[in-house]
């Protein structure tokens, strides 16, 4: 291969590599902007005054309202509660998801909070099972379908690893259930159980580090290609055809 052709191939490969890494860096910058906008919106939602839990007419777009602070009034259906395995700052145990028959006519699952294994049975926390009207305030959360990592929900065996609203509603025989659930706030329940307010609001934001890494790789490719080009040019035989 002539020296000119060889140098052209090296230059093209270098530019292609640098362009690819540079594009990945730009993509990470865009992701960073999106993520920080999301964090700002969520922070505004969780500290805002609660709004009524969305009714059926608002369900189509409810997935975009994650972490919206909402309130709902109704009656709990404790006999239809579902326990979902959980690991929290209080240790391992279960989330207690109880249907709330809202005064507006629909049903919404409420994650009332955490209970340890010894409080799994309802009769072990009878004081925390209100029978009359209740008002719940918490964060709107979208359904978590499919189960957890390497663990699938098994409704028949009563083993739940994720808060799959649709599956829980079918298993519990709930009609007109909202496609979201409410993570109850830290308001104390009679008897101390379940313990609410354990929602973790945390977003990973390493996009700037990733972007700088890709840009650094792009620069390294440019420098490496320049070094090779210079070396190839210098080592060409005297009088060689270009």
């Amino acid at each position: 291969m002539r020296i000119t052709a060889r140098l052209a191939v090296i230059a093209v490969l270098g530019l292609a590599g640098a362009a690819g890494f540079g594009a990945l860096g730009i993509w990470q910058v865009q992701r960073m902007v999106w993520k920080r906008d999301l964090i700002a919106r969520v922070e505004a939602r969780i500290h805002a005054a609660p709004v009524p839990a969305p009714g059926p007419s608002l369900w189509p777009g409810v997935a975009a309202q994650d972490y919206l602070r909402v309130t709902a009034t109704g009656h709990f259906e404790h006999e239809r509660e579902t326990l979902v395995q959980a690991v929290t700052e209080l240790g391992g145990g279960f989330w207690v998801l109880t249907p709330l028959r809202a005064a507006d006519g629909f049903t919404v699952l409420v994650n009332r909070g955490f209970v340890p294994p010894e409080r799994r049975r309802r009769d072990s926390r009878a004081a925390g099972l209100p029978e009359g009207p209740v008002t719940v305030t918490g964060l709107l959360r979208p359904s978590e379908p499919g189960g957890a990592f390497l663990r699938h929900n098994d409704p028949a065996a009563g083993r739940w690893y994720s808060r799959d609203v649709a599956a829980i509603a079918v298993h519990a025989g709930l009609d007109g259930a909202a496609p979201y659930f409410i993570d109850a706030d830290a308001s104390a329940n009679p008897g101390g159980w379940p313990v609410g307010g354990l929602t973790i609001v945390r977003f990973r934001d390493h996009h700037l580090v990733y972007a700088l890494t890709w840009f650094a790789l792009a620069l390294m490719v440019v420098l490496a290609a320049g070094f090779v080009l210079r070396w190839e040019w210098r080592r060409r035989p005297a009088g060689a055809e270009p």
Side-chain angles (χ1 to χ4, degrees), residues 11-204:
V12 169
L13 290 176
L15 289 174
F21 288 135
L24 289 171
I26 292 172
W27 175 65
Q28 285 295 339
V29 170
Q30 294 170 338
R31 291 279 297 171
M32 178 184 69
V33 173
W34 169 82
K35 180 64 69 65
R36 293 185 177 179
D37 177 65
L38 172 64
I39 293 171
R41 284 187 281 115
V42 168
E43 283 292 323
R45 288 175 187 169
I46 63 178
H47 296 298
V51 298
S57 64
L58 300 175
W59 289 351
V62 78
Q65 299 300 312
D66 196 7
Y67 296 108
L68 179 68
R69 195 157 175 252
V70 299
T71 184
T73 298
H75 291 75
F76 279 128
E77 297 184 341
H78 298 291
E79 70 281 1
R80 296 186 180 187
E81 75 175 21
T82 299
L83 299 180
V84 179
Q85 291 195 14
V87 177
T88 73
E89 61 189 57
L90 300 178
F94 303 90
W95 297 124
V96 179
L97 268 69
T98 306
L100 177 76
R101 187 69 67 178
D104 294 338
F106 65 93
T107 299
V108 59
L109 284 174
V110 176
N111 176 17
R112 300 188 62 216
F114 171 84
V115 293
E118 62 271 18
R119 297 284 181 173
R120 178 172 184 166
R121 292 172 55 90
R122 284 199 302 275
D123 57 14
S124 69
R125 43 185 166 84
L129 304 175
E131 295 296 333
V134 296
T135 297
V136 174
T137 300
L139 301 178
L140 183 152
R141 303 301 314 283
S143 179
E144 300 171 348
F149 180 66
L150 298 180
R151 306 177 100 180
H152 298 286
N153 293 325
D154 186 355
R159 288 194 288 268
W160 296 90
Y161 304 104
S162 73
R163 294 165 290 191
D164 186 333
V165 172
I168 292 174
V170 169
H171 184 68
L174 302 177
D175 295 324
Y180 61 87
F181 64 93
I182 298 175
D183 258 347
D185 64 15
S187 299
N189 289 303
W193 303 103
V195 178
L198 298 178
T199 307
I200 296 177
V201 183
R202 182 185 304 145
F203 297 92
R204 296 181 62 184

